Amino acid sequence: MVIACSDSRVDPSMVFDTSPGEIFVLRNIANLVPPFENDGSRHGVSAALEFAVTQLKVAEIVVMGHGACGGVKAALMQGFEGKAPGEGGFIDHWIDLLDEARERVVHQHGTGDAAVHALELEGIRTSLANLRTFPFVVEAENAGLLTLHGAYFAIADGVLHLMDDDGTFAPAQV
């Protein structure tokens, strides 16, 4: 399973050079995974995740962020804050998943280009942490049936970076 951004410049099938049917792809604004909630609301990401893990029995989940992510930049700049649905309110409520990470990034990097890049990477880490709030993900991971990975695709140079166990990103080795 690949959880990626909706941005058309970052097609997981092209990045990973796969054919139809080789990967199960979930795309949304800023490749975000919300934490587990059992509140009766409709949860599209949660449903796709549950399907992939419990029904398809995927062995790996990759959260793939990318450079120049508009959703991440919007989270950093808080451009949709206080907007009504239809004016950016749905977007604001989605990208507020990055609020904690945003505070850390702004404190360390301000709000320039370095901050956007830092928040893109923090978004991947946040989604990976949120994946581990789902009981069926934790169960599969603890049983050795599922592995979680972080990846970052740099649009500017076309390089895929993989996240190490310590949370740092380095170019993938071919």
Side-chain angles (χ1 to χ4, degrees):
M1 178 179 199
V2 178
I3 301 169
C5 186
S6 299
D7 191 316
S8 63
R9 300 171 294 173
V10 191
D11 181 346
S13 296
M14 292 179 75
V15 171
F16 293 106
D17 192 26
T18 61
S19 298
E22 288 186 295
I23 57 175
F24 183 75
V25 178
L26 171 63
R27 297 178 76 172
N28 64 50
I29 303 299
N31 47 269
L32 293 172
V33 175
F36 175 81
E37 295 176 311
N38 190 14
D39 61 5
S41 296
R42 288 177 169 62
H43 296 281
V45 171
S46 303
L49 178 62
E50 182 179 51
F51 183 73
V53 173
T54 68
Q55 304 304 301
L56 296 178
K57 308 286 187 199
V58 297
E60 298 178 282
I61 298 175
V62 177
V63 176
M64 184 179 73
H66 69 92
C69 182
V72 169
K73 186 172 185 178
L76 181 69
M77 305 310 289
Q78 296 182 315
F80 294 108
E81 189 173 33
K83 301 285 185 182
E87 299 173 352
F90 287 122
I91 300 166
D92 180 53
H93 186 53
W94 182 252
I95 60 178
D96 70 10
L97 288 164
L98 292 174
D99 281 355
E100 266 186 49
R102 179 195 181 278
E103 295 307 317
R104 289 190 307 273
V105 166
V106 168
H107 181 339
Q108 188 172 10
H109 299 281
T111 57
D113 290 343
V116 174
H117 178 67
L119 192 54
E120 289 164 351
L121 300 181
E122 281 299 311
I124 297 163
R125 293 181 190 107
T126 297
S127 287
L128 287 167
N130 286 346
L131 281 169
R132 291 187 170 105
T133 66
F134 288 81
F136 52 86
V137 169
V138 173
E139 184 180 309
E141 196 174 22
N142 287 343
L145 302 173
L146 179 65
T147 307
L148 305 182
H149 306 280
Y152 177 84
F153 184 71
I155 291 174
D157 59 13
V159 175
L160 178 68
H161 296 77
L162 301 177
M163 190 177 90
D164 294 333
D165 290 339
D166 66 358
T168 60
F169 288 82
Q173 301 299 313
V174 228

